[in-house]
Short mmCIF file of all heavy atoms in Angstrom, two decimals:
data_model
loop_
_atom_site.label_atom_id
_atom_site.label_comp_id
_atom_site.label_asym_id
_atom_site.label_seq_id
_atom_site.Cartn_x
_atom_site.Cartn_y
_atom_site.Cartn_z
N ARG M 1141 -117.25 -42.11 -68.92
CA ARG M 1141 -117.50 -42.42 -70.33
C ARG M 1141 -116.68 -41.53 -71.26
O ARG M 1141 -117.19 -40.97 -72.22
CB ARG M 1141 -118.98 -42.26 -70.65
CG ARG M 1141 -119.90 -42.93 -69.70
CD ARG M 1141 -120.02 -44.40 -69.96
NE ARG M 1141 -121.27 -44.91 -69.36
CZ ARG M 1141 -121.81 -46.09 -69.54
NH1 ARG M 1141 -121.24 -46.96 -70.30
NH2 ARG M 1141 -122.93 -46.42 -68.97
N PRO M 1199 -113.12 -45.97 -63.08
CA PRO M 1199 -113.11 -45.44 -61.70
C PRO M 1199 -112.54 -46.45 -60.71
O PRO M 1199 -112.94 -47.60 -60.71
CB PRO M 1199 -114.60 -45.20 -61.41
CG PRO M 1199 -115.27 -45.13 -62.72
CD PRO M 1199 -114.47 -45.95 -63.67
N ASN M 1226 -120.97 -41.12 -57.45
CA ASN M 1226 -120.65 -42.55 -57.38
C ASN M 1226 -119.23 -42.81 -57.85
O ASN M 1226 -118.53 -43.67 -57.33
CB ASN M 1226 -121.64 -43.35 -58.25
CG ASN M 1226 -123.00 -43.42 -57.60
OD1 ASN M 1226 -123.39 -42.51 -56.88
ND2 ASN M 1226 -123.72 -44.49 -57.84
N ASP M 1230 -115.57 -43.56 -53.39
CA ASP M 1230 -114.56 -44.31 -52.65
C ASP M 1230 -113.34 -43.46 -52.37
O ASP M 1230 -112.73 -43.54 -51.30
CB ASP M 1230 -114.14 -45.55 -53.45
CG ASP M 1230 -115.26 -46.57 -53.54
OD1 ASP M 1230 -116.31 -46.36 -52.89
OD2 ASP M 1230 -115.10 -47.59 -54.26
N PRO M 1236 -108.53 -39.09 -47.54
CA PRO M 1236 -108.20 -38.48 -46.25
C PRO M 1236 -107.63 -39.50 -45.27
O PRO M 1236 -106.75 -39.19 -44.48
CB PRO M 1236 -109.53 -37.91 -45.75
CG PRO M 1236 -110.58 -38.55 -46.58
CD PRO M 1236 -109.96 -38.97 -47.86
N ALA M 1241 -105.52 -36.85 -43.13
CA ALA M 1241 -106.10 -35.50 -43.08
C ALA M 1241 -107.56 -35.59 -42.70
O ALA M 1241 -108.20 -36.62 -42.92
CB ALA M 1241 -105.96 -34.83 -44.45
N LEU M 1243 -111.52 -35.12 -43.10
CA LEU M 1243 -112.47 -35.03 -44.20
C LEU M 1243 -113.67 -34.25 -43.70
O LEU M 1243 -114.21 -34.59 -42.64
CB LEU M 1243 -112.93 -36.41 -44.67
CG LEU M 1243 -114.14 -36.42 -45.63
CD1 LEU M 1243 -113.75 -35.87 -47.00
CD2 LEU M 1243 -114.71 -37.82 -45.78
N ASN M 1245 -117.30 -33.71 -44.74
CA ASN M 1245 -118.13 -34.47 -45.67
C ASN M 1245 -119.46 -33.78 -45.96
O ASN M 1245 -119.93 -32.95 -45.19
CB ASN M 1245 -118.39 -35.85 -45.06
CG ASN M 1245 -118.49 -36.93 -46.11
OD1 ASN M 1245 -118.46 -36.68 -47.30
ND2 ASN M 1245 -118.62 -38.16 -45.65
N TYR M 1264 -128.13 -35.84 -41.66
CA TYR M 1264 -129.42 -36.42 -41.26
C TYR M 1264 -130.43 -36.35 -42.39
O TYR M 1264 -131.55 -35.86 -42.23
CB TYR M 1264 -129.94 -35.74 -39.99
CG TYR M 1264 -128.95 -35.85 -38.86
CD1 TYR M 1264 -128.34 -34.71 -38.34
CD2 TYR M 1264 -128.58 -37.09 -38.37
CE1 TYR M 1264 -127.39 -34.83 -37.33
CE2 TYR M 1264 -127.64 -37.21 -37.36
CZ TYR M 1264 -127.05 -36.06 -36.85
OH TYR M 1264 -126.11 -36.17 -35.86
N LYS M 1267 -132.05 -33.01 -43.04
CA LYS M 1267 -132.85 -32.33 -42.03
C LYS M 1267 -132.04 -31.35 -41.18
O LYS M 1267 -132.60 -30.52 -40.50
CB LYS M 1267 -133.51 -33.36 -41.12
CG LYS M 1267 -134.71 -34.02 -41.76
CD LYS M 1267 -135.59 -34.70 -40.74
CE LYS M 1267 -136.97 -34.93 -41.31
NZ LYS M 1267 -137.91 -35.49 -40.35
N GLU M 1269 -128.19 -29.00 -40.91
CA GLU M 1269 -126.94 -28.56 -41.52
C GLU M 1269 -125.97 -28.20 -40.42
O GLU M 1269 -126.36 -27.64 -39.40
CB GLU M 1269 -127.19 -27.33 -42.41
CG GLU M 1269 -127.80 -27.70 -43.72
CD GLU M 1269 -128.03 -26.52 -44.64
OE1 GLU M 1269 -127.82 -25.36 -44.21
OE2 GLU M 1269 -128.42 -26.77 -45.78
N ALA M 1270 -124.71 -28.51 -40.67
CA ALA M 1270 -123.69 -28.17 -39.69
C ALA M 1270 -122.68 -27.23 -40.33
O ALA M 1270 -122.29 -27.42 -41.48
CB ALA M 1270 -123.00 -29.44 -39.21
N THR M 1271 -122.29 -26.21 -39.58
CA THR M 1271 -121.25 -25.31 -40.05
C THR M 1271 -119.96 -25.71 -39.37
O THR M 1271 -119.92 -25.92 -38.16
CB THR M 1271 -121.58 -23.85 -39.67
OG1 THR M 1271 -122.95 -23.60 -39.98
CG2 THR M 1271 -120.69 -22.90 -40.44
N ALA M 1312 -105.30 -54.32 -55.90
CA ALA M 1312 -106.12 -55.29 -55.18
C ALA M 1312 -107.55 -55.25 -55.69
O ALA M 1312 -108.31 -56.18 -55.51
CB ALA M 1312 -106.09 -54.99 -53.68
N ALA M 1314 -109.67 -54.66 -59.12
CA ALA M 1314 -109.53 -54.58 -60.57
C ALA M 1314 -110.90 -54.47 -61.22
O ALA M 1314 -111.81 -55.24 -60.93
CB ALA M 1314 -108.81 -55.82 -61.08
N LEU M 1316 -113.59 -55.00 -64.04
CA LEU M 1316 -113.81 -56.05 -65.03
C LEU M 1316 -114.64 -55.55 -66.20
O LEU M 1316 -114.22 -55.61 -67.34
CB LEU M 1316 -114.52 -57.25 -64.38
CG LEU M 1316 -113.73 -58.00 -63.32
CD1 LEU M 1316 -114.56 -59.15 -62.76
CD2 LEU M 1316 -112.41 -58.53 -63.88
N ARG M 1317 -115.85 -55.10 -65.91
CA ARG M 1317 -116.73 -54.68 -67.01
C ARG M 1317 -117.90 -53.86 -66.45
O ARG M 1317 -118.18 -53.87 -65.26
CB ARG M 1317 -117.31 -55.91 -67.72
CG ARG M 1317 -118.32 -56.70 -66.89
CD ARG M 1317 -118.70 -57.99 -67.57
NE ARG M 1317 -117.61 -58.94 -67.49
CZ ARG M 1317 -117.40 -59.76 -66.47
NH1 ARG M 1317 -118.22 -59.78 -65.43
NH2 ARG M 1317 -116.39 -60.60 -66.48
N TYR M 1318 -118.54 -53.16 -67.38
CA TYR M 1318 -119.78 -52.47 -67.04
C TYR M 1318 -120.96 -53.38 -67.37
O TYR M 1318 -120.92 -54.16 -68.31
CB TYR M 1318 -119.93 -51.17 -67.83
CG TYR M 1318 -119.04 -50.07 -67.34
CD1 TYR M 1318 -118.00 -49.60 -68.13
CD2 TYR M 1318 -119.22 -49.51 -66.08
CE1 TYR M 1318 -117.17 -48.58 -67.69
CE2 TYR M 1318 -118.39 -48.50 -65.62
CZ TYR M 1318 -117.37 -48.05 -66.42
OH TYR M 1318 -116.55 -47.06 -65.98
N VAL M 1319 -122.01 -53.24 -66.59
CA VAL M 1319 -123.27 -53.93 -66.90
C VAL M 1319 -124.31 -52.84 -67.11
O VAL M 1319 -124.64 -52.09 -66.18
CB VAL M 1319 -123.70 -54.85 -65.74
CG1 VAL M 1319 -125.03 -55.51 -66.04
CG2 VAL M 1319 -122.63 -55.91 -65.49
N ARG M 1365 -135.08 -43.65 -54.98
CA ARG M 1365 -134.54 -44.99 -54.77
C ARG M 1365 -135.48 -45.94 -54.05
O ARG M 1365 -135.62 -47.09 -54.47
CB ARG M 1365 -133.22 -44.90 -54.02
CG ARG M 1365 -132.47 -46.19 -54.14
CD ARG M 1365 -131.29 -46.30 -53.21
NE ARG M 1365 -130.76 -47.64 -53.40
CZ ARG M 1365 -129.67 -47.93 -54.08
NH1 ARG M 1365 -128.93 -46.96 -54.56
NH2 ARG M 1365 -129.29 -49.17 -54.24
N SER M 1382 -127.64 -42.75 -57.83
CA SER M 1382 -127.41 -43.97 -58.60
C SER M 1382 -128.37 -44.09 -59.76
O SER M 1382 -128.37 -45.08 -60.48
CB SER M 1382 -127.55 -45.20 -57.71
OG SER M 1382 -126.53 -45.23 -56.77
N GLY M 1383 -129.18 -43.10 -59.94
CA GLY M 1383 -130.13 -43.11 -61.06
C GLY M 1383 -129.69 -42.08 -62.08
O GLY M 1383 -128.51 -41.91 -62.35
N PRO M 1419 -143.75 -31.93 -42.47
CA PRO M 1419 -143.43 -30.53 -42.77
C PRO M 1419 -141.93 -30.25 -42.72
O PRO M 1419 -141.47 -29.27 -43.31
CB PRO M 1419 -144.16 -29.75 -41.66
CG PRO M 1419 -144.50 -30.74 -40.62
CD PRO M 1419 -144.54 -32.09 -41.24
N PHE M 1424 -138.81 -29.76 -49.20
CA PHE M 1424 -139.39 -28.42 -49.24
C PHE M 1424 -138.33 -27.33 -49.32
O PHE M 1424 -138.63 -26.19 -49.63
CB PHE M 1424 -140.30 -28.19 -48.04
CG PHE M 1424 -141.52 -29.06 -48.02
CD1 PHE M 1424 -141.81 -29.87 -46.94
CD2 PHE M 1424 -142.39 -29.08 -49.10
CE1 PHE M 1424 -142.93 -30.69 -46.93
CE2 PHE M 1424 -143.51 -29.89 -49.11
CZ PHE M 1424 -143.79 -30.70 -48.02
N ASN M 1425 -137.09 -27.71 -49.02
CA ASN M 1425 -136.02 -26.73 -49.17
C ASN M 1425 -135.61 -26.57 -50.62
O ASN M 1425 -134.97 -25.59 -50.99
CB ASN M 1425 -134.79 -27.15 -48.33
CG ASN M 1425 -135.12 -27.22 -46.86
OD1 ASN M 1425 -135.96 -26.47 -46.38
ND2 ASN M 1425 -134.47 -28.12 -46.15
N ALA M 1427 -137.98 -27.41 -53.20
CA ALA M 1427 -139.16 -27.22 -54.04
C ALA M 1427 -139.56 -25.75 -54.11
O ALA M 1427 -139.20 -24.96 -53.25
CB ALA M 1427 -140.31 -28.05 -53.48
N HIS M 1428 -140.37 -25.46 -55.12
CA HIS M 1428 -140.90 -24.11 -55.25
C HIS M 1428 -142.23 -23.98 -54.55
O HIS M 1428 -142.56 -22.94 -53.98
CB HIS M 1428 -141.06 -23.74 -56.74
CG HIS M 1428 -139.78 -23.82 -57.49
ND1 HIS M 1428 -139.41 -24.93 -58.22
CD2 HIS M 1428 -138.76 -22.93 -57.59
CE1 HIS M 1428 -138.21 -24.71 -58.76
NE2 HIS M 1428 -137.80 -23.52 -58.40
N PHE M 1429 -143.04 -25.06 -54.62
CA PHE M 1429 -144.32 -25.08 -53.93
C PHE M 1429 -144.46 -26.39 -53.19
O PHE M 1429 -143.91 -27.41 -53.62
CB PHE M 1429 -145.48 -24.93 -54.92
CG PHE M 1429 -145.53 -23.60 -55.60
CD1 PHE M 1429 -144.93 -23.41 -56.84
CD2 PHE M 1429 -146.17 -22.51 -55.00
CE1 PHE M 1429 -144.97 -22.18 -57.47
CE2 PHE M 1429 -146.21 -21.28 -55.63
CZ PHE M 1429 -145.60 -21.10 -56.86
N GLY M 1430 -145.20 -26.36 -52.09
CA GLY M 1430 -145.35 -27.60 -51.35
C GLY M 1430 -146.66 -27.68 -50.60
O GLY M 1430 -147.35 -26.67 -50.40
N GLU M 1433 -150.54 -31.99 -47.19
CA GLU M 1433 -151.73 -32.86 -47.21
C GLU M 1433 -151.32 -34.26 -47.67
O GLU M 1433 -150.25 -34.46 -48.24
CB GLU M 1433 -152.78 -32.29 -48.17
CG GLU M 1433 -153.40 -31.00 -47.68
CD GLU M 1433 -154.15 -31.20 -46.37
OE1 GLU M 1433 -154.94 -32.15 -46.26
OE2 GLU M 1433 -153.93 -30.39 -45.45
N ILE T 393 -134.56 -40.42 -38.60
CA ILE T 393 -135.02 -39.12 -39.09
C ILE T 393 -136.54 -39.05 -39.31
O ILE T 393 -137.06 -38.03 -39.75
CB ILE T 393 -134.28 -38.69 -40.37
CG1 ILE T 393 -134.39 -39.76 -41.45
CG2 ILE T 393 -132.83 -38.37 -40.05
CD1 ILE T 393 -133.70 -39.34 -42.74
N ARG T 475 -115.07 -41.07 -38.05
CA ARG T 475 -113.62 -41.26 -38.18
C ARG T 475 -113.04 -41.85 -36.90
O ARG T 475 -112.21 -42.75 -36.94
CB ARG T 475 -112.98 -39.91 -38.49
CG ARG T 475 -111.62 -39.96 -39.07
CD ARG T 475 -111.59 -40.42 -40.50
NE ARG T 475 -110.23 -40.33 -41.01
CZ ARG T 475 -109.72 -39.25 -41.60
NH1 ARG T 475 -110.46 -38.18 -41.76
NH2 ARG T 475 -108.47 -39.26 -42.02
N ILE T 504 -126.11 -41.25 -42.15
CA ILE T 504 -126.58 -39.87 -42.19
C ILE T 504 -125.80 -38.93 -41.28
O ILE T 504 -126.00 -37.71 -41.32
CB ILE T 504 -128.08 -39.78 -41.81
CG1 ILE T 504 -128.31 -40.48 -40.47
CG2 ILE T 504 -128.93 -40.40 -42.90
CD1 ILE T 504 -129.74 -40.42 -40.00
N ASP T 506 -122.32 -39.09 -41.11
CA ASP T 506 -120.91 -39.24 -41.51
C ASP T 506 -120.28 -37.90 -41.83
O ASP T 506 -119.88 -37.64 -42.97
CB ASP T 506 -120.80 -40.15 -42.75
CG ASP T 506 -120.89 -41.62 -42.41
OD1 ASP T 506 -120.72 -41.96 -41.22
OD2 ASP T 506 -121.13 -42.41 -43.33
N LEU T 507 -120.17 -37.05 -40.83
CA LEU T 507 -119.65 -35.70 -41.08
C LEU T 507 -118.16 -35.72 -41.36
O LEU T 507 -117.66 -34.96 -42.18
CB LEU T 507 -119.95 -34.80 -39.87
CG LEU T 507 -119.40 -33.38 -39.95
CD1 LEU T 507 -119.98 -32.65 -41.16
CD2 LEU T 507 -119.73 -32.61 -38.68
N ASP T 508 -117.43 -36.58 -40.66
CA ASP T 508 -115.97 -36.48 -40.78
C ASP T 508 -115.34 -37.70 -41.45
O ASP T 508 -114.14 -37.89 -41.37
CB ASP T 508 -115.33 -36.23 -39.41
CG ASP T 508 -115.39 -37.46 -38.52
OD1 ASP T 508 -116.13 -38.41 -38.83
OD2 ASP T 508 -114.68 -37.46 -37.48
N PHE T 510 -116.03 -41.62 -43.95
CA PHE T 510 -116.83 -42.82 -44.20
C PHE T 510 -116.14 -43.96 -43.47
O PHE T 510 -114.92 -44.11 -43.53
CB PHE T 510 -116.89 -43.12 -45.70
CG PHE T 510 -117.73 -42.14 -46.47
CD1 PHE T 510 -117.16 -41.39 -47.48
CD2 PHE T 510 -119.09 -41.99 -46.21
CE1 PHE T 510 -117.93 -40.49 -48.22
CE2 PHE T 510 -119.87 -41.09 -46.93
CZ PHE T 510 -119.28 -40.33 -47.94
N TYR T 523 -110.54 -51.91 -50.51
CA TYR T 523 -111.89 -51.42 -50.22
C TYR T 523 -112.61 -51.04 -51.50
O TYR T 523 -112.02 -50.43 -52.40
CB TYR T 523 -111.79 -50.22 -49.28
CG TYR T 523 -112.97 -49.29 -49.38
CD1 TYR T 523 -114.20 -49.62 -48.82
CD2 TYR T 523 -112.88 -48.07 -50.06
CE1 TYR T 523 -115.29 -48.78 -48.93
CE2 TYR T 523 -113.98 -47.22 -50.18
CZ TYR T 523 -115.18 -47.59 -49.60
OH TYR T 523 -116.26 -46.75 -49.72
N GLY T 525 -116.65 -49.40 -52.40
CA GLY T 525 -117.90 -48.95 -51.80
C GLY T 525 -119.02 -48.88 -52.82
O GLY T 525 -118.82 -49.11 -54.00
N LEU T 538 -116.28 -60.92 -56.42
CA LEU T 538 -116.78 -60.11 -57.52
C LEU T 538 -117.85 -59.20 -56.94
O LEU T 538 -118.79 -59.69 -56.31
CB LEU T 538 -117.42 -61.00 -58.58
CG LEU T 538 -116.48 -61.81 -59.46
CD1 LEU T 538 -117.26 -62.69 -60.40
CD2 LEU T 538 -115.59 -60.88 -60.28
N LYS T 541 -120.60 -52.49 -58.41
CA LYS T 541 -120.61 -51.15 -57.85
C LYS T 541 -121.60 -50.31 -58.62
O LYS T 541 -121.69 -50.38 -59.85
CB LYS T 541 -119.20 -50.57 -57.97
CG LYS T 541 -118.96 -49.27 -57.28
CD LYS T 541 -117.49 -48.94 -57.45
CE LYS T 541 -117.16 -47.51 -57.21
NZ LYS T 541 -117.40 -47.06 -55.86
N GLU T 542 -122.37 -49.49 -57.91
CA GLU T 542 -123.41 -48.70 -58.55
C GLU T 542 -122.85 -47.42 -59.13
O GLU T 542 -122.15 -46.68 -58.44
CB GLU T 542 -124.51 -48.36 -57.55
CG GLU T 542 -125.29 -49.57 -57.08
CD GLU T 542 -126.45 -49.18 -56.19
OE1 GLU T 542 -126.73 -47.98 -56.05
OE2 GLU T 542 -127.07 -50.09 -55.61
N GLY T 545 -127.29 -43.62 -63.47
CA GLY T 545 -128.06 -44.12 -64.58
C GLY T 545 -128.31 -45.62 -64.50
O GLY T 545 -128.66 -46.25 -65.49
N GLY T 546 -128.13 -46.20 -63.33
CA GLY T 546 -128.40 -47.62 -63.19
C GLY T 546 -127.29 -48.51 -63.73
O GLY T 546 -127.41 -49.73 -63.79
N VAL T 547 -126.18 -47.91 -64.13
CA VAL T 547 -125.07 -48.71 -64.65
C VAL T 547 -124.34 -49.37 -63.49
O VAL T 547 -124.13 -48.75 -62.45
CB VAL T 547 -124.08 -47.80 -65.43
CG1 VAL T 547 -122.87 -48.60 -65.88
CG2 VAL T 547 -124.78 -47.16 -66.61
N LEU T 548 -123.95 -50.62 -63.67
CA LEU T 548 -123.17 -51.31 -62.64
C LEU T 548 -121.76 -51.56 -63.16
O LEU T 548 -121.59 -51.86 -64.35
CB LEU T 548 -123.80 -52.65 -62.30
CG LEU T 548 -125.17 -52.62 -61.63
CD1 LEU T 548 -125.69 -54.04 -61.45
CD2 LEU T 548 -125.09 -51.93 -60.27
N GLU T 550 -118.56 -54.02 -62.58
CA GLU T 550 -118.11 -55.23 -61.87
C GLU T 550 -116.62 -55.13 -61.60
O GLU T 550 -115.83 -54.87 -62.50
CB GLU T 550 -118.40 -56.48 -62.72
CG GLU T 550 -119.79 -57.01 -62.47
CD GLU T 550 -120.06 -58.33 -63.17
OE1 GLU T 550 -119.10 -58.95 -63.66
OE2 GLU T 550 -121.23 -58.72 -63.22
N TYR T 551 -116.29 -55.34 -60.34
CA TYR T 551 -114.89 -55.28 -59.93
C TYR T 551 -114.51 -56.59 -59.27
O TYR T 551 -115.35 -57.27 -58.68
CB TYR T 551 -114.67 -54.16 -58.92
CG TYR T 551 -114.72 -52.77 -59.51
CD1 TYR T 551 -115.94 -52.17 -59.80
CD2 TYR T 551 -113.56 -52.05 -59.75
CE1 TYR T 551 -115.99 -50.89 -60.34
CE2 TYR T 551 -113.60 -50.77 -60.28
CZ TYR T 551 -114.82 -50.20 -60.57
OH TYR T 551 -114.87 -48.93 -61.10
N GLU T 552 -113.23 -56.92 -59.34
CA GLU T 552 -112.73 -58.10 -58.65
C GLU T 552 -111.84 -57.62 -57.51
O GLU T 552 -110.89 -56.86 -57.74
CB GLU T 552 -111.92 -58.95 -59.62
CG GLU T 552 -111.62 -60.34 -59.10
CD GLU T 552 -110.76 -61.10 -60.09
OE1 GLU T 552 -109.60 -60.68 -60.30
OE2 GLU T 552 -111.25 -62.07 -60.67
N SER T 554 -109.44 -58.63 -54.19
CA SER T 554 -108.80 -59.77 -53.53
C SER T 554 -109.15 -59.73 -52.06
O SER T 554 -109.26 -58.67 -51.44
CB SER T 554 -107.29 -59.73 -53.73
OG SER T 554 -106.79 -58.46 -53.45
N PHE T 599 -112.36 -32.25 -35.95
CA PHE T 599 -112.71 -30.84 -35.92
C PHE T 599 -114.06 -30.71 -35.21
O PHE T 599 -114.77 -31.71 -35.04
CB PHE T 599 -112.80 -30.24 -37.33
CG PHE T 599 -113.64 -31.07 -38.28
CD1 PHE T 599 -115.02 -30.92 -38.31
CD2 PHE T 599 -113.04 -32.00 -39.12
CE1 PHE T 599 -115.79 -31.70 -39.18
CE2 PHE T 599 -113.80 -32.76 -39.99
CZ PHE T 599 -115.17 -32.62 -40.01
N GLU T 602 -119.25 -25.93 -35.50
CA GLU T 602 -119.49 -24.56 -35.02
C GLU T 602 -120.94 -24.38 -34.65
O GLU T 602 -121.29 -23.81 -33.63
CB GLU T 602 -119.17 -23.56 -36.14
CG GLU T 602 -117.71 -23.40 -36.43
CD GLU T 602 -117.03 -22.61 -35.34
OE1 GLU T 602 -117.52 -21.49 -35.02
OE2 GLU T 602 -116.05 -23.11 -34.77
N GLU T 603 -121.77 -24.82 -35.54
CA GLU T 603 -123.19 -24.57 -35.36
C GLU T 603 -123.97 -25.66 -36.09
O GLU T 603 -123.56 -26.12 -37.14
CB GLU T 603 -123.53 -23.21 -36.00
CG GLU T 603 -124.82 -22.60 -35.52
CD GLU T 603 -125.23 -21.38 -36.34
OE1 GLU T 603 -124.43 -20.95 -37.20
OE2 GLU T 603 -126.35 -20.90 -36.14
N LEU T 605 -127.92 -26.31 -37.40
CA LEU T 605 -129.25 -25.72 -37.50
C LEU T 605 -130.08 -26.37 -38.59
O LEU T 605 -129.57 -27.07 -39.46
CB LEU T 605 -129.15 -24.21 -37.75
CG LEU T 605 -128.01 -23.68 -38.60
CD1 LEU T 605 -128.14 -24.03 -40.06
CD2 LEU T 605 -127.96 -22.17 -38.45
N PRO T 607 -132.04 -26.43 -41.87
CA PRO T 607 -131.82 -25.64 -43.07
C PRO T 607 -132.94 -24.61 -43.24
O PRO T 607 -134.11 -24.94 -43.08
CB PRO T 607 -131.87 -26.65 -44.22
CG PRO T 607 -131.89 -27.98 -43.59
CD PRO T 607 -132.25 -27.84 -42.16
N ARG T 612 -137.15 -21.34 -49.70
CA ARG T 612 -137.92 -22.51 -49.31
C ARG T 612 -139.26 -22.48 -50.04
O ARG T 612 -139.76 -21.43 -50.38
CB ARG T 612 -138.16 -22.51 -47.80
CG ARG T 612 -138.72 -23.84 -47.31
CD ARG T 612 -138.61 -23.97 -45.80
NE ARG T 612 -138.93 -25.33 -45.39
CZ ARG T 612 -140.15 -25.78 -45.13
NH1 ARG T 612 -141.17 -24.97 -45.24
NH2 ARG T 612 -140.34 -27.03 -44.78
N ALA T 613 -139.83 -23.65 -50.21
CA ALA T 613 -141.07 -23.75 -50.98
C ALA T 613 -142.18 -22.90 -50.37
O ALA T 613 -142.28 -22.76 -49.15
CB ALA T 613 -141.52 -25.21 -51.04
N GLU T 614 -143.02 -22.38 -51.24
CA GLU T 614 -144.21 -21.68 -50.78
C GLU T 614 -145.23 -22.76 -50.46
O GLU T 614 -145.64 -23.53 -51.33
CB GLU T 614 -144.72 -20.78 -51.92
CG GLU T 614 -145.87 -19.89 -51.53
CD GLU T 614 -146.42 -19.14 -52.74
OE1 GLU T 614 -145.61 -18.52 -53.46
OE2 GLU T 614 -147.66 -19.21 -52.98
N ILE T 616 -148.70 -24.44 -49.71
CA ILE T 616 -150.10 -24.22 -50.08
C ILE T 616 -150.97 -24.72 -48.95
O ILE T 616 -150.89 -25.88 -48.55
CB ILE T 616 -150.44 -24.97 -51.38
CG1 ILE T 616 -149.46 -24.59 -52.48
CG2 ILE T 616 -151.87 -24.69 -51.79
CD1 ILE T 616 -149.62 -25.40 -53.74
N GLY T 618 -154.73 -25.40 -46.90
CA GLY T 618 -156.09 -25.81 -47.22
C GLY T 618 -156.22 -27.32 -47.35
O GLY T 618 -155.26 -28.07 -47.25
#
Side-chain angles (χ1 to χ4, degrees):
Chain M
R1141 311 280 201 169
N1226 287 30
D1230 292 354
L1243 168 70
N1245 213 356
Y1264 303 115
K1267 283 198 161 184
E1269 282 182 354
T1271 314
L1316 294 180
R1317 69 188 73 86
Y1318 285 113
V1319 178
R1365 196 192 176 104
S1382 293
F1424 294 125
N1425 298 329
H1428 301 96
F1429 294 94
E1433 291 298 312
Chain T
I393 55 178
R475 199 72 175 270
I504 53 179
D506 280 344
L507 177 60
D508 72 347
F510 289 120
Y523 155 75
L538 286 177
K541 189 176 161 64
E542 294 185 7
V547 176
L548 294 176
E550 273 187 12
Y551 287 78
E552 193 182 66
S554 48
F599 49 84
E602 287 287 307
E603 200 190 353
L605 35 70
R612 191 165 190 273
E614 186 186 309
I616 305 173

